[in-house]
Amino acid sequence: MIRRASLVIVGALMGATAMSVINTVTLPAEAAGSSTYRELSIFGDVFERVRAQYVTPPKEDQLIENAINGMLSSLDPHSSYMNAKDAEDMRTQTRGEFGGLGIEVTMEDELVKVITPIDDTPAARAGVLAGDFISKIDGQDVRGLKLEDAVEKMRGAVNTPIKLTLIRKGADKPIELTIKRDIIAVKAVKFRVENDVGYLRVISFTEKTFDDLETAIAKIKEQVPADKLKGYVLDLRLNPGGLLDQAINVSDAFLERGEVVSTRGRNEDETRRFNASPGDLSDGKPVVVLINGGSASASEIVAGALQDLRRATVVGTRSFGKGSVQTIIPMGDAGALRLTTALYYTPSGKSIQGTGITPDITIDQPLPPELQGKVENASESSLRGHIQGQSETDQGSGSSAYVPPEAKDDVQLQYALELLRGQKTDPSFPANPEKAELKK
């Protein structure tokens, strides 16, 4: 299996972007001309005027940060500057772990509601229950806080204490708990057995994704004998992307050979190709990949690779269409520059920028009555200032990004299960690697 350590992010973890991290920067571009330096001089003059004469004293660091972001946002929607906090948040997301309590939460009636405590975490061990309402955090009332602000307060350094005040149905008074934070590992892959089919949902591509996938497949094999296992559903819907090396590893988990993806930069010598290696974790069992408008970038790499190499049948609706790569360049004071530096291409040589992955079998997921007319299609092609894809047409990319909470209402999942069980047939299933779509 391919195991790469480079930090390349492909997806919406950071606003539907693809990134690589470099520690030192060389700038091979031609030196700026004299007119450029004159314009920079004007910028300096404007900055000094604003700093000295604006009606209220501006914060100089914010002026500079906003000026940088203004320049970068004029390039494309995925290039930006991250200050120290944003950069650390990005690193936390890609690690897939953080210091915290281990609870999934939402906001209800201005209070933080516990959806579920994660097994074997500080919250679970302290007795936090699903359905509890958090009314105070370290004595501060939760009312008036945004959900993300409340979550930020509950996260913190490992081994530091936090005091929660809980309101629990049936309790005659609030419950106060003091909990010590610990490292919380967020599962990147969830799985279950659907009778004779293994269901794998890849939530995001963090540093833990391949390991989680490997563990999930092993546990499915333990639960279902090989002669009974019909195959796997790989659910990439609502997956915003993440690390490129993890997208390659997930693809390689089902492949024996072939190019997984290539990236092409401004100069021809910047082209990079990533190939699969022998070793199919699924033992060649049939695979159905589910995608929708919420499948972006890294998930599109996986869907595109398995589709082009005829290892899986792709079912659902057209994906987001995010096909650019961003490089993360460390800057001073722990900030970072996120800059679009390349586009990526599927094994057949297609760019999905602005077009997305078209399923082998298109199955629309109906919206419930309460959401009809309220859910807009998600797409790269609708983003203002996006890079025009080489194959992009007026049709654009993307589709609905809705997935029902209950499996019984999930038309796309049920279709995939029926395919694997032979209850439905289609010329594209089962996929045949011998008919792989090779680069033209």
Side-chain angles (χ1 to χ4, degrees):
M1 301 302 298
I2 299 173
R3 306 305 303 274
R4 292 185 174 82
S6 59
L7 182 55
V8 181
I9 300 177
V10 190
L13 277 178
M14 300 301 298
T17 58
M19 312 176 204
S20 65
V21 169
I22 58 177
N23 294 316
T24 58
V25 184
T26 56
L27 301 176
E30 296 179 3
S34 59
S35 61
T36 300
Y37 288 112
R38 284 196 297 271
E39 294 296 328
L40 287 173
S41 176
I42 293 172
F43 171 81
D45 291 343
V46 171
F47 174 79
E48 284 300 325
R49 287 286 185 179
V50 172
R51 186 187 66 82
Q53 297 181 329
Y54 187 67
V55 61
T56 58
K59 294 183 179 179
E60 296 179 13
D61 56 342
Q62 288 186 2
L63 281 179
I64 295 172
E65 185 175 326
N66 290 336
I68 293 172
N69 272 319
M71 173 177 62
L72 294 171
S73 65
S74 71
L75 300 175
D76 67 84
H78 308 301
S79 294
S80 66
Y81 173 75
M82 293 181 287
N83 58 32
K85 182 181 182 304
D86 292 338
E88 179 56 31
D89 287 345
M90 184 267 298
R91 287 187 285 269
T92 297
Q93 288 180 349
T94 58
R95 283 195 301 267
E97 62 182 32
F98 54 88
L101 305 179
I103 50 177
E104 295 181 18
V105 297
T106 187
M107 208 77 176
E108 186 175 306
D109 297 329
E110 295 189 282
L111 296 177
V112 175
K113 182 179 181 180
V114 178
I115 298 173
T116 183
I118 301 171
D119 290 342
D120 196 29
T121 61
R125 292 191 291 267
V128 177
L129 302 178
D132 283 350
F133 286 89
I134 300 173
S135 61
K136 293 183 180 181
I137 300 173
D138 282 334
Q140 180 182 351
D141 202 318
V142 166
R143 285 184 173 84
L145 292 179
K146 295 180 180 178
L147 179 61
E148 55 266 32
D149 295 331
V151 169
E152 184 68 23
K153 287 182 177 295
M154 288 187 283
R155 290 185 178 181
V158 173
N159 292 325
T160 58
I162 182 173
K163 184 178 180 180
L164 298 183
T165 302
L166 306 177
I167 298 174
R168 180 175 296 168
K169 186 177 180 180
D172 56 2
K173 63 180 181 179
I175 300 168
E176 293 189 349
L177 297 176
T178 298
I179 308 173
K180 189 173 289 187
R181 296 178 178 93
D182 201 350
I183 294 176
I184 307 300
V186 180
K187 284 291 184 184
V189 178
K190 293 186 177 181
F191 75 96
R192 64 177 183 267
V193 170
E194 292 275 355
N195 297 319
D196 51 1
V197 174
Y199 173 81
L200 302 159
R201 181 187 170 210
V202 182
I203 300 167
S204 61
F205 291 87
T206 70
E207 293 174 9
K208 299 180 178 297
T209 300
F210 175 79
D211 290 340
D212 283 359
L213 179 74
E214 190 174 35
T215 299
I217 292 176
K219 289 185 176 180
I220 288 171
K221 288 179 179 179
E222 289 175 2
Q223 296 179 42
V224 186
D227 60 336
K228 302 292 186 184
L229 187 61
K230 294 291 197 300
Y232 295 87
V233 174
L234 183 64
D235 193 347
L236 301 176
R237 295 172 300 174
L238 305 182
N239 184 315
L243 297 174
L244 173 60
D245 72 318
Q246 294 293 313
I248 295 166
N249 288 340
V250 168
S251 302
D252 192 13
F254 300 95
L255 296 169
E256 292 283 0
R257 61 185 181 275
E259 182 178 296
V260 175
V261 68
S262 63
T263 61
R264 307 177 196 176
R266 178 170 169 175
N267 302 308
E268 189 173 341
D269 60 2
E270 295 172 350
T271 297
R272 300 176 66 196
R273 303 184 186 280
F274 302 89
N275 297 308
S277 57
D280 180 350
L281 294 184
S282 63
D283 300 323
K285 293 286 186 180
V287 178
V288 175
V289 174
L290 297 180
I291 62 171
N292 65 8
S295 306
S297 220
S299 50
E300 293 175 290
I301 285 176
V302 175
L306 298 183
Q307 182 183 58
D308 280 4
L309 297 176
R310 295 293 189 265
R311 178 61 187 89
T313 300
V314 179
V315 171
T317 55
R318 189 186 293 267
S319 63
F320 188 84
K322 162 61 182 56
S324 62
V325 180
Q326 283 69 40
T327 299
I328 300 297
I329 306 169
M331 307 297 286
D333 296 326
L337 170 63
R338 179 172 56 214
L339 187 67
T340 300
T341 55
L343 298 175
Y344 65 79
Y345 295 78
T346 67
S348 63
K350 294 182 295 189
S351 167
I352 64 162
Q353 175 65 16
T355 60
I357 298 292
T358 301
D360 298 304
I361 305 172
T362 297
I363 302 293
D364 291 312
Q365 176 63 53
L367 292 174
E370 65 270 18
L371 291 180
Q372 290 179 10
K374 298 178 181 179
V375 177
E376 295 184 1
N377 289 352
S379 71
E380 172 79 7
S381 59
S382 66
L383 295 180
R384 183 178 179 181
H386 76 279
I387 295 173
Q388 190 79 12
Q390 67 179 37
S391 303
E392 186 174 345
T393 65
D394 291 341
Q395 184 180 7
S397 61
S399 62
S400 172
Y402 172 71
V403 177
E406 299 293 335
K408 63 181 177 61
D409 302 320
D410 192 336
V411 174
Q412 294 166 335
L413 172 59
Q414 294 304 321
Y415 190 96
L417 295 174
E418 290 173 359
L419 268 182
L420 288 164
R421 291 170 180 151
Q423 297 165 339
K424 289 189 182 296
T425 61
D426 189 274
S428 65
F429 180 85
N432 183 356
E434 298 303 318
K435 296 181 179 180
E437 189 173 346
L438 301 177
K439 192 180 301 295
K440 299 175 181 177

